[in-house]
Amino acid sequence: MIYLFIAFFLTILLGVPVAFCLGIGALAFLVITGRESLLIIPTLMFSGIDSFPLMAIPFFIMAGDLAERSGILPNLVQLAKSLVGHWRAGLAHVSIVTEMFLSGVTGTAVGDAAAIGSIFIPSMIREGYDRKFAAVLTASASVMGPLIPPSVGMLIYSFVQGGTVSVAALFLAGVVPGVMVGLGLMILSHVLAQRRNYPKSQERFRIMNVVRTLKGALMGLTAMLIILGGILSGVFTPTEAGAAAVAYVLIVGTIFTRKLNFSSIVSSILNTAITSSVIFILMATAKVCAWLLTSAQIPQKCGNVLMSVSASPIFFITLVILFLVFLGFFIEAIAIMIMFVPVLAPMAGSYGIEAHHFGLVFVMAVQIALITPPVALGLFVTTKLAGIGIDDTWTEIGPFLLFLTVLTLLVAYWPGMSMWLPRLFGYVR
Amino acid sequence: MGRFLGERGLPFSSLGGRMFYRILNKSIRVLTILCLSVLTILVPIEVFLRYLFGKSLYITEEFTRYLMVWVVFLASSLAIREDSHISIGIFVNRFRGRTRSWINLLAQILLVTFLIFLIIEGVIALSFQMDQIIPSLGLPIFWFYLAIPVGSFLMILNLLPKIWETLKVISGKKRFEDARSSKPREEGGLL
């Protein structure tokens, strides 16, 4: 098994794409030990892709991508503005609330960061906000994307973990922490805004405004309703909900808002194909490695070592969160999940941590990687929009990083806070 | 090395080479889009039929699953071309110029080795697949397993120009460029 790790880490260091590092690692192991037929690599890769529940990933990516192109977003912005635009640093609050809405339609963070960032960062800079603040805030807000359902991150987790956790339960578990990320960021922006004297908008809160903008935002909100409501009521499986969301956004975008045309739909499909193929190839080779790891009982052995240090689940989950946040500085979220879920999830099981709760904490902890430079996909997008370098943000991320880490720890120590929702719907005991 | 590359016969930057790659990648794009479109149309239809009329297109589930394998392996070669596969650059980004190119060359050779292995084992696996009929489609699973060797071959094809670029930098024919910063974005390149 040591050959697998050596080959894997060497190829990672050389900059080979992670998906192929996993494949090369497995190949090296099989060639050197000769334990199994080499045929298991293509066979397991095939079976790692060929799964109907997994098809939810391209559908949610496509629904999000089409939603951003279909002109639903400006209406959501108007609604958010009428709700919180009158506060100090109103623009910051509006961007957070808009992202909260958008998260209910999209399943990924980076797309959200690009969409929200391109709308709000230029106007924040115009109103005199710090560029660093604008970039870090929008990147942090995109953490909600994979927490508020639908969530590609949760889907990936459930498949890499081995498919024994319910995707619907994970989706539901993410709702409360997702909203808390939003609320926490609003408090944080408020504090920073007062200290730095960010501008206050002249607008007043009017209930009529809310009603009016709510009407405009109805189309976007219906997409949320289809996805979440469909899964909750058991009408849809996540895959079907994704497909229904795609169909809905296509109809709205072509008939009602008329923003979608043939060429934008085609480029959205191509985008979706490439993005999902990158994820699926990773899942395919990860399946091979996970199979080898399990058959060599590596997770159990690691678990036993750690158990001999301490049998406390609090100790284990704290260690895992800090480890994942640390890795997040250097590795991107999906790659961390693919590499560490197969080892850590069984260990969590032996510590007696409920599988869905651990999944939620894991997905949440790896999302922090969006804002931890030098490798931070969220910041990568938003700093570009703000016209600064990713290294300039070091001085600004402190409070945001601290907040997200503490919130993750809180979610980990207090399962009741997030898990009551899936329990209410009978997904988790 | 310099003589090996020569002045004449630059297969990947010549007009014919560029044409070949333009046509190749356009065909891959069209195929990928077609496969994914079929998927995206089939599943919602299935959902509506089931809930509105209680009927089911019994082929949907298996057909879409297997079609996705094609989407993944086809689009993966496009991802190679665009450098969109997830990799960890924290170590290699420390190097520039020729050193970096040697590292890149090593990485590319390893990648090609793995892909060649996938082609060989994929073809061996194929020989068992002709008799395995997918019940709902009446087709042998062969046609979907075929995606692995074909996709790997296309990935190698799209890697060759990259290896060529690396060799040019090593031989001093070309200045080093960071692939990430000059990443080609071809949104809607089909039309």
PDB file of all heavy atoms in Angstrom, chain A residues 354-370:
ATOM      1  N   GLU A 354     -22.524  10.259  13.975  1.00  0.00           N
ATOM      2  CA  GLU A 354     -23.594   9.970  13.021  1.00  0.00           C
ATOM      3  C   GLU A 354     -23.130  10.329  11.604  1.00  0.00           C
ATOM      4  O   GLU A 354     -22.535  11.389  11.376  1.00  0.00           O
ATOM      5  CB  GLU A 354     -24.842  10.769  13.411  1.00  0.00           C
ATOM      6  CG  GLU A 354     -26.145  10.157  12.939  1.00  0.00           C
ATOM      7  CD  GLU A 354     -26.461  10.523  11.506  1.00  0.00           C
ATOM      8  OE1 GLU A 354     -26.204  11.682  11.134  1.00  0.00           O
ATOM      9  OE2 GLU A 354     -26.926   9.656  10.758  1.00  0.00           O
ATOM     10  N   ALA A 355     -23.393   9.447  10.633  1.00  0.00           N
ATOM     11  CA  ALA A 355     -22.796   9.581   9.304  1.00  0.00           C
ATOM     12  C   ALA A 355     -23.184  10.879   8.594  1.00  0.00           C
ATOM     13  O   ALA A 355     -22.332  11.531   7.988  1.00  0.00           O
ATOM     14  CB  ALA A 355     -23.176   8.383   8.434  1.00  0.00           C
ATOM     15  N   HIS A 356     -24.464  11.279   8.685  1.00  0.00           N
ATOM     16  CA  HIS A 356     -24.886  12.500   7.991  1.00  0.00           C
ATOM     17  C   HIS A 356     -24.299  13.735   8.649  1.00  0.00           C
ATOM     18  O   HIS A 356     -23.919  14.692   7.979  1.00  0.00           O
ATOM     19  CB  HIS A 356     -26.410  12.609   7.970  1.00  0.00           C
ATOM     20  CG  HIS A 356     -27.067  11.487   7.242  1.00  0.00           C
ATOM     21  ND1 HIS A 356     -27.486  10.355   7.875  1.00  0.00           N
ATOM     22  CD2 HIS A 356     -27.326  11.320   5.927  1.00  0.00           C
ATOM     23  CE1 HIS A 356     -28.004   9.529   6.989  1.00  0.00           C
ATOM     24  NE2 HIS A 356     -27.909  10.075   5.797  1.00  0.00           N
ATOM     25  N   HIS A 357     -24.224  13.688   9.981  1.00  0.00           N
ATOM     26  CA  HIS A 357     -23.658  14.821  10.704  1.00  0.00           C
ATOM     27  C   HIS A 357     -22.192  15.008  10.323  1.00  0.00           C
ATOM     28  O   HIS A 357     -21.734  16.108  10.043  1.00  0.00           O
ATOM     29  CB  HIS A 357     -23.805  14.585  12.209  1.00  0.00           C
ATOM     30  CG  HIS A 357     -23.260  15.697  13.038  1.00  0.00           C
ATOM     31  ND1 HIS A 357     -22.465  15.488  14.131  1.00  0.00           N
ATOM     32  CD2 HIS A 357     -23.390  17.039  12.916  1.00  0.00           C
ATOM     33  CE1 HIS A 357     -22.123  16.656  14.639  1.00  0.00           C
ATOM     34  NE2 HIS A 357     -22.664  17.614  13.927  1.00  0.00           N
ATOM     35  N   PHE A 358     -21.467  13.900  10.270  1.00  0.00           N
ATOM     36  CA  PHE A 358     -20.061  13.997   9.873  1.00  0.00           C
ATOM     37  C   PHE A 358     -19.930  14.508   8.440  1.00  0.00           C
ATOM     38  O   PHE A 358     -19.070  15.333   8.141  1.00  0.00           O
ATOM     39  CB  PHE A 358     -19.370  12.633  10.020  1.00  0.00           C
ATOM     40  CG  PHE A 358     -17.891  12.703   9.737  1.00  0.00           C
ATOM     41  CD1 PHE A 358     -17.033  13.298  10.642  1.00  0.00           C
ATOM     42  CD2 PHE A 358     -17.369  12.197   8.554  1.00  0.00           C
ATOM     43  CE1 PHE A 358     -15.681  13.390  10.376  1.00  0.00           C
ATOM     44  CE2 PHE A 358     -16.006  12.290   8.284  1.00  0.00           C
ATOM     45  CZ  PHE A 358     -15.161  12.887   9.209  1.00  0.00           C
ATOM     46  N   GLY A 359     -20.825  14.040   7.564  1.00  0.00           N
ATOM     47  CA  GLY A 359     -20.803  14.501   6.173  1.00  0.00           C
ATOM     48  C   GLY A 359     -20.976  16.000   6.097  1.00  0.00           C
ATOM     49  O   GLY A 359     -20.244  16.697   5.384  1.00  0.00           O
ATOM     50  N   LEU A 360     -21.942  16.512   6.846  1.00  0.00           N
ATOM     51  CA  LEU A 360     -22.195  17.951   6.860  1.00  0.00           C
ATOM     52  C   LEU A 360     -20.953  18.717   7.320  1.00  0.00           C
ATOM     53  O   LEU A 360     -20.517  19.673   6.672  1.00  0.00           O
ATOM     54  CB  LEU A 360     -23.378  18.258   7.788  1.00  0.00           C
ATOM     55  CG  LEU A 360     -23.570  19.728   8.130  1.00  0.00           C
ATOM     56  CD1 LEU A 360     -24.017  20.505   6.917  1.00  0.00           C
ATOM     57  CD2 LEU A 360     -24.575  19.890   9.261  1.00  0.00           C
ATOM     58  N   VAL A 361     -20.375  18.273   8.438  1.00  0.00           N
ATOM     59  CA  VAL A 361     -19.198  18.953   8.988  1.00  0.00           C
ATOM     60  C   VAL A 361     -18.054  18.908   7.983  1.00  0.00           C
ATOM     61  O   VAL A 361     -17.361  19.910   7.755  1.00  0.00           O
ATOM     62  CB  VAL A 361     -18.787  18.304  10.325  1.00  0.00           C
ATOM     63  CG1 VAL A 361     -17.458  18.847  10.808  1.00  0.00           C
ATOM     64  CG2 VAL A 361     -19.860  18.525  11.367  1.00  0.00           C
ATOM     65  N   PHE A 362     -17.892  17.759   7.336  1.00  0.00           N
ATOM     66  CA  PHE A 362     -16.809  17.593   6.367  1.00  0.00           C
ATOM     67  C   PHE A 362     -16.989  18.562   5.196  1.00  0.00           C
ATOM     68  O   PHE A 362     -16.063  19.310   4.845  1.00  0.00           O
ATOM     69  CB  PHE A 362     -16.809  16.144   5.854  1.00  0.00           C
ATOM     70  CG  PHE A 362     -15.503  15.708   5.269  1.00  0.00           C
ATOM     71  CD1 PHE A 362     -14.680  14.819   5.937  1.00  0.00           C
ATOM     72  CD2 PHE A 362     -15.081  16.203   4.048  1.00  0.00           C
ATOM     73  CE1 PHE A 362     -13.470  14.423   5.406  1.00  0.00           C
ATOM     74  CE2 PHE A 362     -13.874  15.815   3.504  1.00  0.00           C
ATOM     75  CZ  PHE A 362     -13.077  14.922   4.186  1.00  0.00           C
ATOM     76  N   VAL A 363     -18.185  18.572   4.617  1.00  0.00           N
ATOM     77  CA  VAL A 363     -18.436  19.443   3.465  1.00  0.00           C
ATOM     78  C   VAL A 363     -18.230  20.906   3.863  1.00  0.00           C
ATOM     79  O   VAL A 363     -17.636  21.694   3.125  1.00  0.00           O
ATOM     80  CB  VAL A 363     -19.862  19.219   2.914  1.00  0.00           C
ATOM     81  CG1 VAL A 363     -20.202  20.248   1.851  1.00  0.00           C
ATOM     82  CG2 VAL A 363     -19.979  17.825   2.333  1.00  0.00           C
ATOM     83  N   MET A 364     -18.687  21.238   5.070  1.00  0.00           N
ATOM     84  CA  MET A 364     -18.556  22.617   5.523  1.00  0.00           C
ATOM     85  C   MET A 364     -17.085  23.001   5.702  1.00  0.00           C
ATOM     86  O   MET A 364     -16.653  24.069   5.283  1.00  0.00           O
ATOM     87  CB  MET A 364     -19.285  22.747   6.858  1.00  0.00           C
ATOM     88  CG  MET A 364     -19.889  24.095   7.075  1.00  0.00           C
ATOM     89  SD  MET A 364     -20.866  24.085   8.567  1.00  0.00           S
ATOM     90  CE  MET A 364     -20.788  25.839   8.899  1.00  0.00           C
ATOM     91  N   ALA A 365     -16.312  22.108   6.312  1.00  0.00           N
ATOM     92  CA  ALA A 365     -14.910  22.410   6.575  1.00  0.00           C
ATOM     93  C   ALA A 365     -14.122  22.565   5.279  1.00  0.00           C
ATOM     94  O   ALA A 365     -13.286  23.466   5.164  1.00  0.00           O
ATOM     95  CB  ALA A 365     -14.294  21.319   7.449  1.00  0.00           C
ATOM     96  N   VAL A 366     -14.398  21.721   4.277  1.00  0.00           N
ATOM     97  CA  VAL A 366     -13.616  21.845   3.046  1.00  0.00           C
ATOM     98  C   VAL A 366     -14.015  23.094   2.250  1.00  0.00           C
ATOM     99  O   VAL A 366     -13.225  23.598   1.472  1.00  0.00           O
ATOM    100  CB  VAL A 366     -13.689  20.604   2.125  1.00  0.00           C
ATOM    101  CG1 VAL A 366     -13.051  19.422   2.780  1.00  0.00           C
ATOM    102  CG2 VAL A 366     -15.084  20.307   1.686  1.00  0.00           C
ATOM    103  N   GLN A 367     -15.235  23.601   2.464  1.00  0.00           N
ATOM    104  CA  GLN A 367     -15.622  24.808   1.725  1.00  0.00           C
ATOM    105  C   GLN A 367     -14.801  26.017   2.156  1.00  0.00           C
ATOM    106  O   GLN A 367     -14.681  26.993   1.424  1.00  0.00           O
ATOM    107  CB  GLN A 367     -17.113  25.127   1.907  1.00  0.00           C
ATOM    108  CG  GLN A 367     -18.049  24.093   1.328  1.00  0.00           C
ATOM    109  CD  GLN A 367     -17.706  23.697  -0.078  1.00  0.00           C
ATOM    110  OE1 GLN A 367     -17.183  24.477  -0.854  1.00  0.00           O
ATOM    111  NE2 GLN A 367     -17.962  22.451  -0.414  1.00  0.00           N
ATOM    112  N   ILE A 368     -14.257  25.972   3.377  1.00  0.00           N
ATOM    113  CA  ILE A 368     -13.439  27.092   3.836  1.00  0.00           C
ATOM    114  C   ILE A 368     -12.243  27.281   2.893  1.00  0.00           C
ATOM    115  O   ILE A 368     -11.717  28.374   2.750  1.00  0.00           O
ATOM    116  CB  ILE A 368     -13.012  26.870   5.305  1.00  0.00           C
ATOM    117  CG1 ILE A 368     -14.273  26.815   6.178  1.00  0.00           C
ATOM    118  CG2 ILE A 368     -12.081  27.975   5.793  1.00  0.00           C
ATOM    119  CD1 ILE A 368     -14.014  26.501   7.622  1.00  0.00           C
ATOM    120  N   ALA A 369     -11.876  26.207   2.197  1.00  0.00           N
ATOM    121  CA  ALA A 369     -10.793  26.282   1.216  1.00  0.00           C
ATOM    122  C   ALA A 369     -11.053  27.331   0.145  1.00  0.00           C
ATOM    123  O   ALA A 369     -10.137  27.776  -0.540  1.00  0.00           O
ATOM    124  CB  ALA A 369     -10.579  24.924   0.555  1.00  0.00           C
ATOM    125  N   LEU A 370     -12.316  27.756  -0.003  1.00  0.00           N
ATOM    126  CA  LEU A 370     -12.640  28.785  -0.996  1.00  0.00           C
ATOM    127  C   LEU A 370     -11.960  30.115  -0.694  1.00  0.00           C
ATOM    128  O   LEU A 370     -11.761  30.926  -1.588  1.00  0.00           O
ATOM    129  CB  LEU A 370     -14.157  29.017  -1.028  1.00  0.00           C
ATOM    130  CG  LEU A 370     -15.004  27.955  -1.702  1.00  0.00           C
ATOM    131  CD1 LEU A 370     -16.447  28.124  -1.306  1.00  0.00           C
ATOM    132  CD2 LEU A 370     -14.852  28.052  -3.198  1.00  0.00           C
TER     133      LEU A 370
END
